[in-house]
Amino acid sequence: MMRISTTKTRRWMLSTAVCGVLITGCSSGEGEGGDSKPQTKPAAEAKPLAEGALRPLLLTQADLGYGYTQVQEEPGEGKFDDVAVQGCPALEKLDQSGEEDLFAAKAEASFTYDRDATLGEEVHSDRPSVLSSKLRELFGAYTSCPTYTMTAGTTPIEVKVSKSVAPELGDERFAYTSTMELPSGAQVLKTMAVRKGNVAVMLVGAPALVDRHIKTAVDKLPAGN
């Protein structure tokens, strides 16, 4: 499953394909689903929540059920600095943007399931208009090219991307599926994000796990503001 970077959300987005190769130490495996409601900036936007307020919103082993084990995040800034993309201008631009923190606050959790499947979660908070515009930018970039090449160090990975339909949850939702052509065979990862007011949740991993738990993840978010 893909690993979620603890320091650079953009590196988390780039690492979705790489974790098909770097399975060990990866926590979860992301374009826009085209299933989002039109946004109108409210007169007075809700302020971002602090990181401490986001942690109780994360999924737990009790939420997920039998067979899941939480994985402790490994410290280390820049662990995905050798991840790069070729063959997709929008993603190459994203990779070069250098943004350290896309949103005001973030909390994350990672799980393994049945030893060889993984599920990663990030909960972000910012003003609703900021969450909306940046999620659209990120997922839009990742669905802008049907195919591209990722490299982890010197290892090339061919990636195919297709938009996915997300369930009618929250105020906006985004989803896509990535198929990575690995020496051991094709690996499929799904990325889904749902915004609910000033909080957004992202799940990445095996498609069945993402589909199974996205509603539970969204239900843990506070009422939209």
Side-chain angles (χ1 to χ4, degrees):
M1 138 177 215
M2 76 168 277
R3 159 101 182 106
I4 298 181
S5 170
T6 59
T7 57
K8 298 182 181 180
T9 299
R10 71 186 183 90
R11 288 299 180 188
W12 171 69
M13 305 293 281
L14 286 173
S15 68
T16 54
V18 175
C19 276
V21 172
L22 309 179
I23 294 297
T24 303
C26 290
S27 70
S28 148
E30 85 238 41
E32 181 172 351
D35 189 23
S36 306
K37 299 177 182 178
Q39 293 302 297
T40 301
K41 183 177 178 179
E45 288 196 292
K47 295 181 180 180
L49 300 180
E51 179 184 352
L54 297 181
R55 294 200 172 280
L57 308 180
L58 291 167
L59 292 169
T60 66
Q61 288 175 268
D63 295 320
L64 297 173
Y66 178 78
Y68 290 85
T69 302
Q70 187 160 1
V71 179
Q72 296 300 316
E73 293 298 325
E74 298 177 6
E77 183 173 354
K79 62 183 67 179
F80 292 113
D81 284 348
D82 63 346
V83 176
V85 61
Q86 298 87 36
C88 184
L91 286 180
E92 291 176 34
K93 181 180 179 180
L94 182 67
D95 185 30
Q96 296 166 2
S97 64
E99 292 185 79
E100 293 294 322
D101 296 299
L102 291 178
F103 305 109
K106 175 183 70 176
E108 60 188 323
S110 305
F111 302 87
T112 59
Y113 176 69
D114 196 23
R115 295 193 299 180
D116 59 355
T118 56
L119 181 70
E121 179 186 28
E122 286 193 353
V123 177
H124 296 272
S125 185
D126 212 315
R127 291 180 293 113
S129 64
V130 173
L131 281 175
S132 177
S133 63
K134 289 187 176 180
L135 285 171
R136 287 174 177 272
E137 177 185 357
L138 289 170
F139 278 79
Y142 268 84
T143 53
S144 64
C145 301
T147 61
Y148 60 89
T149 301
M150 299 286 294
T151 57
T154 59
T155 303
I157 304 169
E158 296 301 317
V159 184
K160 298 178 182 178
V161 178
S162 60
K163 292 183 179 181
S164 301
V165 176
E168 291 285 339
L169 297 170
D171 300 313
E172 288 183 287
R173 74 287 307 174
F174 309 84
Y176 76 84
T177 301
S178 309
T179 302
M180 297 166 293
E181 299 297 335
L182 308 175
S184 58
Q187 180 173 353
V188 181
L189 297 174
K190 190 169 190 176
T191 301
M192 188 178 296
V194 175
R195 182 184 70 82
K196 193 175 180 183
N198 61 344
V199 182
V201 60
M202 295 183 186
L203 293 185
V204 186
L209 300 187
V210 172
D211 291 340
R212 183 184 306 166
H213 297 296
I214 187 62
K215 186 178 187 303
T216 301
V218 174
D219 286 345
K220 297 191 71 168
L221 305 184
N225 293 309

